[in-house]
């Protein structure tokens, strides 16, 4: 099925911009293997006199191994998408759909925050864009933190766009960076959540939906 999909994408990209996002990448080896398949299918289509395009190739970073080799991965692709939902699940070994272990699914775990920072840094080092995907990208509670970590592209449900756009236009990047710096010494997610919530209440409470800052899980 992968080869069928690749052939369809290559043909569709002939006269329009199309990107290929490779999921569940564990390291450079996966990228090289998949690029080889893409090239094989390209050559087959060209030999059959079928017009093809040249889609950009990126990866979905969602495995701990991809985070740890993000700098190496970034040298072989055109862009990165950071899949935060799966990343939290795999980093913390917690099924996000299992209510019995919901308390262990911690988006603000220090390891998760470090991973986000590292992937964004790897993208910057390679001069390629990094898009933050997942629920946190469309959540007002997390967006200032993401901006402070260096995120500049957020992928979200269209319903969230207006609210997030208003939030971003109403705060300064320097404040977001200072806020993010203030949590670097935190060792547990509860400390980070408290710092963020207190700051929002004191400085930006008018920018958040009613009830959000009093909720247990933002």
């Amino acid at each position: 099925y992968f080869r069928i999909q690749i052939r369809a994408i290559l043909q569709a990209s002939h006269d329009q911009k199309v990107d290929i996002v490779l999921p569940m990448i564990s390291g450079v080896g996966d990228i090289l293997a998949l690029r080889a398949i893409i090239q094989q299918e390209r050559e087959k289509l060209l030999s059959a006199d079928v017009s093809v395009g040249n889609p950009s190739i990126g990866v979905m970073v969602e495995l701990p191994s991809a985070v740890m080799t993000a700098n190496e991965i970034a040298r072989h692709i055109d862009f990165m998408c950071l899949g935060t939902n799966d990343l939290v699940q795999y980093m913390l070994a917690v099924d996000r759909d299992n209510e019995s272990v919901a308390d262990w699914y911690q988006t603000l775990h220090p390891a998760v925050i470090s991973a986000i920072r590292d992937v964004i840094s790897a993208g910057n080092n390679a001069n390629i864009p990094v898009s933050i995907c997942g629920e946190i990208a469309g959540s007002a509670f997390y967006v200032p933190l993401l901006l402070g970590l260096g995120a500049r592209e957020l992928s979200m449900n269209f319903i969230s766009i207006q609210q997030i756009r208003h939030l971003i236009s109403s705060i300064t990047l320097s404040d977001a960076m200072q806020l993010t710096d203030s949590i670097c010494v935190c060792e547990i997610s509860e400390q980070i959540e408290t710092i963020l919530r207190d700051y929002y209440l004191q400085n930006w409470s008018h920018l958040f939906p009613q009830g959000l800052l009093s909720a247990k899980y933002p």
Side-chain angles (χ1 to χ4, degrees):
Y1 290 112
F2 179 71
R3 289 180 180 272
I4 294 174
Q5 293 173 337
I6 290 300
R7 289 196 294 271
I9 293 173
L10 288 172
Q11 293 178 69
S13 66
H14 170 59
D15 55 0
Q16 57 187 325
K17 186 182 186 305
V18 176
D19 297 333
I20 297 177
V21 181
L22 304 174
M24 301 299 288
I25 294 298
S26 64
V28 173
D30 292 343
I31 299 171
L32 297 179
L34 293 171
R35 275 191 173 276
I37 292 175
I38 293 171
Q39 183 58 29
Q40 291 169 8
E41 296 307 318
R42 176 192 301 278
E43 292 174 357
K44 290 180 182 178
L45 290 171
L46 290 174
S47 64
D49 201 27
V50 175
S51 298
V52 299
N54 187 33
S56 298
I57 297 178
V59 301
M60 183 66 72
V61 178
E62 50 201 334
L63 301 179
S65 59
V67 172
M68 296 179 69
T69 56
N71 282 294
E72 292 77 11
I73 286 174
R75 293 196 289 265
H76 296 270
I77 54 176
D78 302 308
F79 63 93
M80 288 194 290
C81 301
L82 182 55
T84 55
N85 290 350
D86 283 339
L87 179 63
V88 175
Q89 175 171 276
Y90 296 134
M91 287 198 71
L92 304 184
V94 177
D95 181 359
R96 68 176 185 267
D97 296 321
N98 188 336
E99 294 183 1
S100 65
V101 294
D103 289 344
W104 282 271
Y105 186 87
Q106 301 172 357
T107 303
L108 292 175
H109 192 288
V112 174
I113 294 176
S114 294
I116 295 173
R117 189 195 303 271
D118 290 346
V119 173
I120 293 173
S121 176
N124 292 337
N125 291 339
N127 197 30
I128 63 173
V130 178
S131 176
I132 309 300
C133 308
E135 294 177 4
I136 69 172
S139 169
F141 192 91
Y142 298 106
V143 165
L145 172 63
L146 294 175
L147 294 178
L149 291 171
R152 298 297 179 265
E153 295 187 15
L154 306 174
S155 175
M156 67 191 72
N157 188 300
F158 75 94
I159 297 176
S160 303
I161 292 177
Q162 183 174 355
Q163 179 200 346
I164 299 302
R165 179 179 292 168
H166 175 64
L167 171 63
I168 292 175
S169 65
S170 302
I171 66 178
T172 66
L173 183 58
S174 60
D175 284 344
M177 293 175 67
Q178 290 177 11
L179 175 60
T180 301
D181 288 342
S182 70
I183 67 171
C184 290
V185 297
C186 296
E187 297 179 331
I188 60 175
S189 61
E190 289 81 2
Q191 291 176 325
I192 297 173
E193 181 178 339
T194 297
I195 290 175
L196 293 178
R197 196 184 305 278
D198 288 349
Y199 187 93
Y200 297 161
L201 285 169
Q202 294 173 15
N203 299 277
W204 299 333
S205 61
H206 61 290
L207 299 175
F208 289 83
Q210 185 175 4
L212 174 62
L213 296 180
S214 61
K216 182 178 180 181
Y217 298 106

